[in-house]
Amino acid sequence: MTEYEKGAPYLLVKRGDKLEQDDLIGEQSLVLNAKGKGLVVLSGCAHAGIVNTVRHAKKITVLKRFTL
């Protein structure tokens, strides 16, 4: 996570009998390689933060060009 996108402290998940801050491990986005455009990141709610999402997409792919 980036320094300015730390997730949302109000998003909680119940683990056992306790409410804890959601680590957003289930966050989903779609990353496409668009011909002539580079990688396109499609995100829904982006609770983990759009910058965090794009950085992760860059990390798991070999292409360096992005379209936002």
Side-chain angles (χ1 to χ4, degrees):
M1 295 253 179
T2 60
E3 185 62 30
Y4 54 92
E5 285 184 326
K6 299 180 182 179
Y10 54 85
L11 295 176
L12 304 173
V13 64
K14 187 173 182 178
R15 292 189 177 106
D17 293 333
K18 293 172 54 180
L19 284 177
E20 299 177 3
Q21 186 173 356
D22 191 350
D23 56 13
L24 306 171
I25 196 76
E27 186 85 5
Q28 295 183 14
S29 295
L30 179 64
V31 180
L32 305 167
N33 181 7
K35 187 175 181 178
K37 299 285 185 186
L39 293 177
V40 178
V41 178
L42 300 175
S43 182
C45 55
H47 284 123
I50 194 63
V51 172
N52 291 324
T53 302
V54 170
R55 284 186 176 180
H56 184 68
K58 288 170 82 172
K59 181 179 173 181
I60 64 170
T61 62
V62 296
L63 298 175
K64 300 300 177 200
R65 184 173 177 189
F66 276 75
T67 298
L68 297 175

